[in-house]
Amino acid sequence: QVQLVESGGGLVQPGGSLRLSCAASGNIFSINTMGWYRQAPGKERERVALILRGGHTDYIDSVKGRFTISRDDAKNTVYLQMNSLKPEDTAVYYCNNMVQLVGSSRYVEVWGQGTLVTVSS
């Protein structure tokens, strides 16, 4: 009923920038929390950043000052601006939304398909 489509991944040199986007579509009434997670080869998936509907944001320590999460509720889209990228940022990045469906009072968790970010010279 809800789909998340991510875009913006790719190959970038250390110190470079990328901007990820994640657009939600479907039977959406509202979206509460929007977040970005990542999973590097051989590692657990970790939450990178999240943004609440009111605009409050939270980041893991390793990306503070380099990554910025933002949202456009009119477009049901969340963004992740990644600057000063490092090789250790290489991972598959997933977006995650807590979505309230039309006609329901409950929230459902929805994941995107993932987009690969590779930081290498």
Side-chain angles (χ1 to χ4, degrees):
Q1 288 181 307
V2 177
Q3 284 189 319
L4 303 184
V5 178
E6 299 154 352
S7 60
L11 173 63
V12 63
Q13 292 186 342
S17 298
L18 283 175
R19 188 190 193 210
L20 305 183
S21 300
C22 173
S25 62
N27 199 27
I28 299 169
F29 178 74
S30 69
I31 303 176
N32 191 357
T33 305
M34 293 180 166
W36 286 97
Y37 290 68
R38 68 185 179 188
Q39 188 166 19
K43 294 190 176 181
E44 299 278 325
R45 186 175 297 189
E46 64 178 354
R47 190 179 73 195
V48 176
L50 65 82
I51 182 167
L52 303 184
R53 191 161 49 195
H56 175 77
T57 60
D58 188 57
Y59 301 90
I60 57 171
D61 287 344
S62 60
V63 307
K64 286 180 180 177
R66 300 189 297 122
F67 291 11
T68 302
I69 189 170
S70 60
R71 60 190 287 167
D72 183 338
D73 289 329
K75 297 180 179 179
N76 288 332
T77 299
V78 59
Y79 305 96
L80 186 67
Q81 178 67 44
M82 305 185 293
N83 298 329
S84 302
L85 282 160
K86 304 175 181 180
E88 51 264 42
D89 294 317
T90 295
V92 177
Y93 284 71
Y94 300 89
C95 64
N96 172 282
N97 286 355
M98 293 301 293
V99 178
Q100 184 179 11
L101 302 177
V102 173
S104 174
S105 61
R106 297 188 302 121
Y107 284 85
V108 295
E109 185 176 37
V110 186
W111 289 91
Q113 80 284 359
T115 185
L116 178 62
V117 171
T118 303
V119 185
S120 175
S121 55

